Amino acid sequence: ARATFFILGWVAARDPSLVREIAAAGHEIASHGWDHRRVTGQAPHQFRASVRRTKCTLEDVTGLPVRGFRAPSYSIVPGYEWALDVLVEEGYRYDSSLFPVWRPDAYGYAGTPPDPHWMTRRAGMLAEIPPTTWRRSRLSLPAAGGAYFRLLPYAFVRSAFAACDRRGVPGTGYIHPWELDTGQPRLAAGWLTSLRHYGGIGHTHSRLQRLLREFQFTSIDKTVETM
């Protein structure tokens, strides 16, 4: 399987050999911004500086073009669409930040198409690759990764990706490195935060192996090439 690694510029600047190792294994290197600041906490000029600096750093490290971006915490939400125009202007070809679900607090872009599609922005064309959701009628629930992948029944996740197969469209999942690290430090936090962060970590690896056996995955840039 091949994947897309959305990497912080901060990480690439401090451990370039790690980024080169990922690229040498055949995976796509894409931008996650410089320091994991949410788009909702930045002014347009700050966001532009972040995505420009990260793209340049990743390209200098790997010698490969960086085409994709994913916002930390999927933080391109209604009212912050200007970020998509900035991405086009800075030379990005696709975004994977619009999560087609509704949440009252952190993220979500309800109503956006659930499958990969092209957007016509003021600055030009941009492909959008949303994370996979489980859909029934008007109901749309996150099923692509993170705590949803760790805590919800595997059959629920599998159903979402199987539905993508039936529609003939690529499904997009995600996972964080720390979700495979059962020996990470346990920090004091509220029960909900602890559940979302630590819950289900013990079986993340086996679930990921099962998902990779049942479905074929490739990097997002390969998906965009076929759109």
Side-chain angles (χ1 to χ4, degrees), residues 68-89:
F69 174 78
R70 175 171 287 162
S73 302
Y74 296 103
S75 55
I76 298 181
V77 297
Y80 289 83
E81 295 86 352
W82 53 260
L84 301 171
D85 291 306
V86 171
L87 292 175
V88 176
E89 292 165 355

Side-chain angles (χ1 to χ4, degrees), residues 10-217:
W10 185 91
V11 171
R14 285 158 177 76
D15 197 351
S17 62
L18 173 64
V19 181
R20 285 192 287 266
E21 182 180 354
I22 294 169
H27 303 294
E28 180 193 7
I29 303 299
S31 168
H32 201 35
W34 186 259
D35 54 6
H36 213 267
R37 287 184 63 193
R38 294 185 180 188
V39 177
T40 50
Q42 300 180 68
H45 73 277
Q46 294 172 316
F47 178 72
R48 184 183 299 277
S50 171
V51 298
R52 177 182 295 177
R53 185 183 182 191
T54 302
K55 190 174 192 293
C56 289
T57 298
L58 292 171
E59 291 178 341
D60 286 346
V61 167
T62 64
L64 300 170
V66 169
R67 301 182 177 94
F69 174 78
R70 175 171 287 162
S73 302
Y74 296 103
S75 55
I76 298 181
V77 297
Y80 289 83
E81 295 86 352
W82 53 260
L84 301 171
D85 291 306
V86 171
L87 292 175
V88 176
E89 292 165 355
E90 292 301 320
Y92 288 86
R93 190 181 183 197
Y94 75 82
D95 171 69
S96 186
S97 306
L98 304 187
F99 212 147
V101 297
W102 180 86
R103 271 186 52 170
D105 51 354
Y107 59 77
Y109 204 106
T112 196
D115 298 326
H117 59 279
W118 286 96
M119 297 184 291
T120 302
R121 298 295 311 168
R122 172 189 55 77
M125 298 294 291
L126 186 70
E128 180 61 37
I129 314 295
T132 291
T133 51
W134 183 90
R135 305 176 71 84
R136 288 293 185 276
S137 185
R138 296 185 179 182
L139 182 64
S140 180
L141 300 176
Y148 312 112
F149 182 68
R150 290 182 279 110
L151 296 174
L152 296 176
Y154 178 79
F156 175 84
V157 176
R158 189 189 187 284
S159 174
F161 282 99
C164 290
D165 268 358
R166 291 193 296 271
R167 295 198 303 274
V169 298
T172 302
Y174 66 94
I175 193 168
H176 302 89
W178 56 263
E179 292 180 289
L180 295 165
D181 181 9
T182 56
Q184 65 185 278
R186 297 280 173 148
L187 305 179
W191 72 269
L192 182 57
T193 297
S194 294
L195 175 65
R196 287 190 300 201
H197 189 89
Y198 299 116
I201 282 181
H203 59 231
T204 304
H205 187 265
S206 60
R207 282 193 169 196
L208 180 61
Q209 286 183 315
R210 182 176 177 184
L211 191 70
L212 293 175
R213 284 195 303 268
E214 296 189 23
F215 299 93
Q216 286 188 315
F217 289 92

